[in-house]
Amino acid sequence: EIVMTQSPATLSVSPGERATLSCRASQSVSSNLAWYQQKPGQAPRLLIYGASTRATGIPARFSGSGSGTEFTLTISSLQSEDFAIYYCQQYNKWPPWTFGQGTKVEIK
Amino acid sequence: QVQLQESGPGLVKPSGTLSLTCGVSGGSIRSSNWWSWVRQPPGKGLEWIGEIFHSGSTNYNPSLKSRVTISVDKSKNQFSLKLSSVTAADTAVYYCAREPGTANNYYFDYWGQGTLVTVSS
């Protein structure tokens, strides 16, 4: 099983600032990496797939990068609606598809 | 716009079987997509349970494989989850989700709103 490790667990950021979230895979997942945003009481929402491709309707302030075992999600200028939990997921090797434990982005 | 909707009992007794159904609207379950179940215990992260193709082919998380059955009903455009021998550790919000499924695209692009299943006597 591929283990996905996200850091930090919690990120405190002021509105308008840049947020950088990390995701590391225990073995190479190529570019088969997705990012999701989850707000309280809601289902996860797909943000990024293929490590760097924004899903339909996702604002340009969200960007993804990386390949192999190291990945980054960057939110260039945090808006109030961006405070949420973010998960990465690998889909290079199953079973199973695996998620990171999440990074909570909170208001500083 | 594809929409998914989970349904089923919100309370299951220990050692019983959890049964949920996911109805698909705005698209056909006979498409090239795979259809998954994902769960999230209260306050915790996401765990993939398993997936099914409209042909009936399935893949399961090895950690749950002995207790999980996923099936598809093409006539009703829905798929279902059964999890047997449940314990309190199976208490979670259960989501159904769609995978594009083509060209190695096995991420989840559409999700249901989720349903909380509590295991308790």
Side-chain angles (χ1 to χ4, degrees):
Chain A
E1 172 175 328
I2 297 178
V3 177
M4 307 301 292
T5 303
Q6 292 185 241
S7 61
T10 303
L11 187 61
S12 298
V13 186
S14 299
E17 289 188 341
R18 184 186 198 90
T20 302
L21 290 67
S22 295
C23 176
R24 173 178 294 178
S26 60
Q27 60 184 270
S28 178
V29 298
S30 186
S31 295
N32 297 313
L33 191 284
W35 289 94
Y36 302 87
Q37 177 193 67
Q38 187 178 35
K39 296 179 181 179
Q42 296 185 18
R45 177 175 71 144
L46 176 67
L47 297 176
I48 300 284
Y49 62 91
S52 61
T53 302
R54 279 190 302 277
T56 303
I58 301 303
R61 64 181 182 272
F62 291 93
S63 63
S65 63
S67 65
T69 62
E70 301 283 343
F71 300 89
T72 300
L73 174 69
T74 301
I75 311 171
S76 60
S77 177
L78 270 161
Q79 306 297 304
S80 57
E81 61 267 30
D82 300 336
F83 293 96
I85 299 176
Y86 293 83
Y87 294 96
C88 61
Q89 176 234 336
Q90 69 82 19
Y91 54 95
N92 191 63
K93 183 177 180 182
W94 58 248
W97 305 130
T98 48
F99 294 88
Q101 80 281 16
T103 290
K104 181 179 182 180
V105 178
E106 64 177 23
I107 300 174
K108 186 175 182 179
Chain B
Q1 179 81 347
V2 173
Q3 292 186 314
L4 293 82
Q5 177 74 56
E6 303 90 350
S7 60
L11 181 64
V12 181
K13 288 183 169 27
S15 77
T17 297
L18 178 159
S19 296
L20 295 174
T21 295
C22 181
V24 179
S25 58
S28 174
I29 205 160
R30 298 172 187 263
S31 60
S32 60
N33 306 104
W34 285 77
W35 306 91
S36 268
W37 289 97
V38 177
R39 70 179 182 178
Q40 184 172 39
K44 295 188 178 181
L46 300 163
E47 180 182 33
W48 177 74
I49 300 170
E51 64 190 1
I52 191 164
F53 195 66
H54 64 77
S55 63
S57 294
T58 54
N59 298 299
Y60 298 133
N61 190 323
S63 69
L64 298 168
K65 187 174 183 177
S66 64
R67 299 194 291 130
V68 173
T69 302
I70 298 176
S71 59
V72 64
D73 186 335
K74 289 176 281 190
S75 68
K76 294 183 178 179
N77 218 39
Q78 64 186 34
F79 62 107
S80 299
L81 168 69
K82 290 187 184 299
L83 181 66
S84 63
S85 304
V86 297
T87 69
D90 295 309
T91 294
V93 175
Y94 285 76
Y95 295 100
C96 56
R98 190 191 85 161
E99 303 162 47
T102 55
N104 200 39
N105 288 323
Y106 299 109
Y107 49 86
F108 308 102
D109 58 356
Y110 289 95
W111 296 69
Q113 87 281 4
T115 188
L116 175 63
V117 179
T118 301
V119 178
S120 176
S121 55

